[in-house]
């Protein structure tokens, strides 16, 4: 497994949201160092959808030549945990929430078959199955756009969840978020 695309999203001082996707070059020391600085900066809050997954990928796949990367510091929000706290019986996948909460559907349609198909001999239910983005020889633009949209919609969902969570739910959310970081 390897990272081939990455993205970030942020809120500008004027309140608008911005996302930026880019190709990941594991041999580019300046890129890796800049990413590590960002992930380790305690003054910058990070959000993710299913942070335990993103933390693992950042730690074990973003380092120079697949060496160990940084531990994420200041995880401020996990939209998957937030969705569980709001409705523990509901679906919490990012694509579903993007549709149900934001009304956006199909933004992954250009790359979906490369994210979900398995090769002959692979176990289709395995979490270890490889995605096929790198071998698909797709143009980079749809991949980068898809990745940037993931980051943008995660940030947008976070902004909604902050208002949806009751104070008592927020206590549980913070406990779960701390647990994700610890485990």
């Amino acid at each position: 497994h390897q990272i081939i695309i990455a993205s970030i999203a942020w809120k500008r001082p004027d309140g608008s949201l911005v996302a930026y996707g880019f190709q990941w070059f594991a041999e580019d020391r300046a890129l890796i160092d800049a990413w590590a600085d960002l992930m380790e900066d305690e003054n910058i809050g990070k959000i993710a959808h299913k942070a335990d997954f993103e933390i693992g990928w950042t730690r074990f796949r973003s380092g120079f030549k697949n060496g160990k990367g940084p531990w994420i510091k200041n995880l401020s929000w996990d939209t998957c945990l937030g969705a569980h706290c709001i409705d523990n019986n509901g679906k919490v996948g990012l694509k579903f929430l993007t549709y149900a909460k934001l009304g956006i559907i199909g933004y992954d349609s250009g790359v979906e078959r490369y994210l979900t198909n398995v090769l002959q001999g692979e176990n289709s239910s395995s979490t270890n199955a490889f995605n096929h983005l790198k071998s698909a020889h797709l143009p980079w633009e749809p991949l980068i756009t898809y990745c940037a949209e993931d980051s943008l919609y995660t940030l947008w969902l976070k902004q909604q969840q902050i208002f949806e969570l009751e104070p008592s739910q927020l206590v549980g959310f913070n406990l779960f978020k701390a647990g994700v970081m610890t485990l």
Side-chain angles (χ1 to χ4, degrees), residues 1-47:
H1 295 289
Q2 58 185 291
I3 297 172
I4 62 166
I5 305 275
S7 65
I8 58 173
W10 65 94
K11 184 177 178 179
R12 289 182 173 154
D14 69 2
S16 63
L17 303 181
V18 179
Y20 179 74
F22 53 93
Q23 279 184 267
W24 187 264
F25 297 102
E27 294 79 23
D28 184 337
R29 190 66 202 196
L31 172 68
I32 301 303
D33 288 346
W35 189 260
D37 289 346
L38 176 65
M39 293 299 110
E40 292 176 331
D41 190 321
E42 294 184 27
N43 296 313
I44 299 173
K46 285 59 158 206
I47 66 168

Side-chain angles (χ1 to χ4, degrees), residues 89-110:
N89 295 312
K91 292 182 178 182
V92 297
L94 181 58
K95 305 305 177 283
F96 174 80
L97 290 173
T98 299
Y99 172 64
K101 300 291 186 178
L102 307 177
I104 298 166
I105 190 167
Y107 73 94
D108 62 336
S109 62

Side-chain angles (χ1 to χ4, degrees), residues 130-156:
F130 286 91
N131 71 48
H132 306 291
L133 293 175
K134 191 171 184 178
S135 63
H137 304 293
L138 289 174
W140 284 107
E141 186 177 330
L143 297 174
I144 291 169
T145 301
Y146 161 75
C147 190
E149 285 179 294
D150 261 0
S151 291
L152 180 65
Y153 300 147
T154 299
L155 179 55
W156 203 351

